[in-house]
Amino acid sequence: MSRLQDTIAGARAEGRSALVAYLPVGYPDVDRSIAAMVAAVEGGADVVEVGVPYSDPGMDGPVIQQAVDPAVRAGVGMRDVLRAVQAVAAAGAVPVVMSYWNPVERYGVDRFAADLAAAGGAGAITPDLIPDEAGPWLAASEAAHLDRVFLVAPSSTDARLAATAAACRGFVYAASTMGVTGTRATVGDAAEKLVARTRAVTDLPVCVGLGVSNGDQAAEVASFADGVIVGSAYVRELLEGRGADGVRRLSEDLAAGVRRPVTVP
Amino acid sequence: MTTSAVHPPGERLEPAHPSWPDATGHFGVFGGRFVPEALIAALDELTEAYRAMRVDPAFIEEFAALQRDYTGRPSPITEVPGFAEHAGGARIWLKREDLNHTGSHKINNVLGQALLTRRIGKRRVIAETGAGQHGVATATAAALMGLSCTIYMGEEDTRRQALNVARMRLLGAEVVPVTTGSRTLKDAINEAFRDWVTNVETTNYVFGTVAGPHPFPEMVRDFQRVIGDEARAQVLERVGRLPDAVLACVGGGSNAIGIFTAFVPDDGVRLVGLEAGGDGVGSGRHAATITGGTPGVLHGARSYLLQDENGQTVESHSISAGLDYPGVGPEHSHLHDIGRAEYRPVTDAEAMEAFALLCRTEGIIPAIESAHALAGAITLGKELGPDALLLVNLSGRGDKDVETASRWFGLGDREHVEPGAGMDTDQQPIEGAVTSGDAVAGQDAGESA
Ligand SMILES: Cc1ncc(COP(=O)(O)O)c(C=O)c1O
């Protein structure tokens, strides 16, 4: 059983893609970050990636860094993350933790899995952990019945795509390297190709994260992906002071987008 | 295992002790690859190309020629009896990596990686730098080989190593000051990785030390091991026996691995890494990663690192920009855990005392990084006594540090500098400028330089 896969399949059954919202715990502070996550759910997010703040977020651009940095300085930790997980579950969406590997390892892999499951989390996305190095996490997620999501990239060989997808449960995260937002044709091409290659090796849903920032772009990605992952655009709502209301409005726009997939010419 | 002649540089790239790393880059429990999937293809490409290159006679010849004609290898070893008088009378020899072209050991690695870049057909290189020595070496190799070059450097370091920023720009490199986090080496590495993830199709990352994801720790070690291969043969030839201890400063650990590797099979030779103790490990303001850290994952590999209870990297502190790093290469963590090497902290004050001593007794201005190894030799020499034979890696020269050192010793910003002002004029700066009470003043010097 996989809660993420069931949720995404449920969206598919409604003829749409799932909306996956990322927000980091602790910006502007823990309570308001949780309120923002709940607002994202109210606006229509199906899944919330609950971000663990990390001091060295090598995969993140300046927007997410700007929000995560003060959270790290404020000492936000796994206890706060678990509280956010509970709140998202209570709001009716599926929470999945998004964490660079060191905070998980420091907390203790088995302890993390057990506590996450107890808090109502569906699993975790680990952007800097490849299945080759994931032995303890594969075992712990198995024991706690958690989903585990690894990333694939346009540069992944077919053999790696297959092996990575085989290690995933819930969905496969297609990280298409983001060029400049707005160059949609090229961005869509790379992502769409990656999704097609991934589908060739797995039956799991494939979700795409590539810097989508509005409903129209969400609709475009929804035309080829099972889920649309949006991060920086949500964070920008908070950075620019629009708070939970801004997050809710953005979710509504994006949720409408994933319900009207367009065919890209 | 004895060696009677200096190895031609580049002859022995393949490790003499192949028990580590394993095929996927693990040194015991350390190392590996903790990176986004987007980089795996590039790391695989590098690994394969490197493995093919290091046994390719054409490469070996070209690399050897560059090291000889361009870098100036082999670097000599120099006995320093005047300095050794202050180190319990032990015999001390320095391995003179400061005499290399560009002024440090960093060029050894960079020439290898630049040839590799050309081999895989990429035209752009990026690198991180702390002290600026790796940045200067990379900019140099890029100029030599016609590659475009971008260097990431913490804003804090661009100030305290301004000379090297100017050098890099003269060599045609773009220098990007990094303003995130602690604005030092750690953050420069983050930015370089972000650049690499985005531009991986056209760009090669020339990593500057034996840290980072596989294959960097192995590859950089192999490019740096020429230091120890030469030095081992040189000491045997000049002194007729192996040293009792080999000492080197440890930031990420490349000069230390470079000089250690040839001696690892020599059980009687102590391998001593000197970490940056900053204001003292007890103060919390230091960069002594193995002494004061715990195992975890940073910058693509498992190793010791300075971290808090949430797994957040703790900012490091050192007067030396090149050692101001909260991580360390995985092979050092392994050598520490199996007891083959020992790691000791050296405070800013101790390092600057040794810095001044070498200047005054031997006419050699060392890099502040290397001065940490010299300070370790003073302590160890006193522990071991006059029969001891110590080999110290002088990883770089101190031109880049004159500003910081002048401030530390109170020599700068004056129109007429008294000869030896701030330093003991009796060639014993030990009690003069740098008493323990100056640690705080020194701190300011480090931060404002
Ligand atoms: C002269 C010198 N020595 C040592 C280091 C530290 O690096 P590593 O520990 O990799 O040798 C540096 C780094 O900038 C350096 O410039």
Side-chain angles (χ1 to χ4, degrees):
Chain A
M1 190 209 98
S2 156
R3 281 166 68 199
L4 284 168
Q5 191 171 356
D6 289 351
T7 302
I8 298 167
R12 266 281 172 249
E14 293 172 17
R16 65 177 179 95
S17 294
L19 174 60
V20 181
Y22 162 90
L23 281 162
V25 179
Y27 185 83
D29 55 40
V30 174
D31 285 340
R32 280 184 285 174
S33 68
I34 292 176
M37 291 178 199
V38 170
V41 176
E42 290 165 356
D46 303 288
V47 175
V48 176
E49 288 183 19
V50 178
V52 178
Y54 179 53
S55 52
D56 296 273
M59 263 193 83
D60 287 312
V63 170
I64 290 175
Q65 282 178 56
Q66 245 189 82
V68 158
D69 196 51
V72 169
R73 281 171 202 282
V76 172
M78 212 54 92
R79 198 193 311 258
D80 305 304
V81 170
L82 294 171
R83 189 149 72 80
V85 165
Q86 284 172 333
V88 168
V94 179
V96 57
V97 164
M98 169 82 153
S99 185
Y100 288 89
W101 188 241
N102 198 51
V104 175
E105 190 160 296
R106 185 69 172 160
Y107 190 76
V109 180
D110 292 336
R111 178 178 168 220
F112 170 75
D115 291 359
L116 178 58
I125 304 168
T126 50
D128 61 346
L129 185 70
I130 55 174
D132 322 44
E133 299 282 357
W137 169 233
L138 296 180
S141 54
E142 211 57 54
H145 306 291
L146 290 172
D147 288 338
R148 50 179 183 254
V149 177
F150 297 104
L151 278 59
V152 295
S155 58
S156 306
T157 60
D158 289 341
R160 281 200 68 82
L161 276 186
T164 303
C168 289
R169 190 164 53 202
F171 67 88
V172 180
Y173 191 130
S176 168
T177 311
M178 184 54 189
V180 187
T181 332
T183 56
R184 275 203 240 159
T186 27
V187 168
D189 279 357
E192 192 169 356
K193 234 177 108 190
L194 176 58
V195 170
R197 290 178 62 217
T198 309
R199 288 200 196 290
V201 296
T202 184
D203 294 330
L204 286 176
V206 183
C207 299
V208 168
L210 50 57
V212 165
S213 63
N214 60 45
D216 289 340
Q217 290 175 334
E220 189 182 321
V221 173
S223 67
F224 59 85
D226 301 307
V228 180
I229 302 169
V230 180
S232 298
Y234 276 111
V235 173
R236 201 176 290 119
E237 292 298 313
L238 298 180
L239 286 175
E240 292 174 2
R242 289 186 287 277
D245 288 339
V247 167
R248 190 180 297 102
R249 279 194 299 272
L250 176 62
S251 254
E252 286 163 359
D253 181 30
L254 294 165
V258 299
R259 283 168 174 78
R260 55 176 157 79
V262 295
T263 319
V264 186
Chain B
M1 173 183 155
T2 55
T3 318
S4 55
V6 173
H7 286 282
E11 186 189 280
R12 284 182 48 194
L13 277 175
E14 287 203 87
H17 54 96
S19 54
W20 58 73
D22 67 11
T24 49
H26 298 91
F27 301 82
V29 300
F30 300 106
R33 279 183 184 166
F34 293 81
V35 293
E37 171 66 21
L39 289 179
I40 296 295
L43 292 169
D44 279 344
E45 178 187 31
L46 271 185
T47 307
E48 257 171 58
Y50 170 60
R51 294 238 159 99
M53 185 178 82
R54 72 178 175 186
V55 295
D56 175 354
F59 159 74
I60 292 172
E61 194 177 312
E62 186 175 13
F63 190 42
L66 274 176
Q67 293 199 326
R68 182 187 63 230
D69 303 336
Y70 194 69
T71 306
R73 301 209 73 87
S75 64
I77 57 169
T78 305
E79 185 164 19
V80 287
F83 178 83
E85 270 180 39
H86 303 272
R91 286 189 78 180
I92 299 180
W93 288 76
L94 305 183
K95 176 62 173 167
R96 300 294 305 280
E97 293 298 300
D98 61 317
L99 296 179
N100 295 341
H101 178 44
T102 72
S104 81
H105 69 292
K106 296 287 183 186
I107 191 78
N108 303 333
N109 163 47
V110 159
L111 290 175
Q113 289 199 50
L115 290 175
L116 186 58
T117 304
R118 216 177 54 189
R119 195 177 173 104
I120 59 177
K122 291 183 177 173
R123 306 287 310 158
R124 174 174 181 261
V125 289
I126 55 171
E128 83 293 346
T129 197
Q133 288 303 107
H134 176 60
V136 167
T138 305
T140 298
L144 178 68
M145 298 190 197
L147 304 168
S148 93
C149 178
T150 301
I151 304 293
Y152 291 94
M153 188 170 188
E155 192 185 46
E156 161 82 12
D157 294 337
T158 61
R159 271 183 285 122
R160 58 181 165 174
Q161 309 280 218
L163 172 72
N164 276 343
V165 175
R167 291 170 80 197
M168 289 183 266
R169 290 188 170 140
L170 286 172
L171 291 161
E174 179 196 7
V175 180
V176 181
V178 174
T179 56
T180 51
S182 58
R183 300 168 187 232
T184 60
L185 182 54
K186 159 180 103 71
D187 310 284
I189 293 175
N190 290 337
E191 275 314 304
F193 270 116
R194 289 185 188 113
D195 182 317
W196 204 28
V197 173
T198 312
N199 302 303
V200 67
E201 272 170 36
T202 59
T203 298
N204 190 29
Y205 186 0
V206 176
F207 202 72
T209 189
V210 287
H214 175 63
F216 289 118
E218 175 185 355
M219 179 166 69
V220 177
R221 172 195 69 190
D222 295 352
F223 289 141
Q224 291 290 3
R225 66 164 298 159
V226 66
I227 303 172
D229 286 340
E230 286 177 5
R232 189 177 183 282
Q234 289 167 322
V235 170
L236 282 174
E237 190 179 290
R238 300 292 291 277
V239 188
R241 73 171 180 98
L242 289 172
D244 296 298
V246 177
L247 298 93
C249 66
V250 178
S254 66
N255 87 91
I257 282 290
I259 199 163
F260 286 176
T261 297
F263 294 95
V264 168
D266 299 318
D267 288 337
V269 179
R270 281 169 73 173
L271 305 176
V272 185
L274 289 311
E275 301 192 303
D279 293 346
V281 174
S283 74
R285 291 177 56 85
H286 64 88
T289 308
I290 292 180
T291 309
T294 47
V297 169
L298 175 65
H299 292 150
R302 178 173 288 115
S303 198
Y304 279 81
L305 67 123
L306 302 179
Q307 59 180 328
D308 69 13
E309 71 282 2
N310 291 324
Q312 312 294 353
T313 312
V314 170
E315 286 179 15
S316 57
H317 295 275
S318 170
I319 189 169
S320 151
L323 305 183
D324 199 351
Y325 179 55
V328 68
E331 189 166 3
H332 285 291
S333 294
H334 182 57
L335 288 171
H336 169 264
D337 275 15
I338 63 172
R340 180 61 192 94
E342 55 199 288
Y343 296 84
R344 301 175 165 199
V346 167
T347 63
D348 288 352
E350 290 166 335
M352 294 312 290
E353 189 177 303
F355 175 99
L357 189 61
L358 193 74
C359 292
R360 290 313 185 90
T361 57
E362 301 289 346
I364 298 172
I365 302 177
I368 295 177
E369 290 78 17
S370 320
H372 287 69
L374 294 165
I378 295 174
T379 308
L380 191 63
K382 287 177 183 162
E383 284 169 27
L384 298 181
D387 293 335
L389 174 63
L390 307 183
L391 173 65
V392 181
N393 198 15
L394 198 72
S395 57
R397 64 181 182 232
D399 307 36
K400 67 185 178 59
D401 295 317
V402 293
E403 181 81 23
T404 303
S406 298
R407 281 174 199 264
W408 179 278
F409 296 115
L411 302 177
D413 301 335
R414 285 188 221 166
E415 246 169 65
H416 303 288
V417 178
E418 294 287 322
M423 296 165 75
D424 191 308
T425 47
D426 195 23
Q427 293 200 343
Q428 294 187 31
I430 299 167
E431 307 298 335
V434 194
T435 61
S436 54
D438 281 351
V440 175
Q443 182 57 51
D444 292 346
E447 295 219 324
S448 59

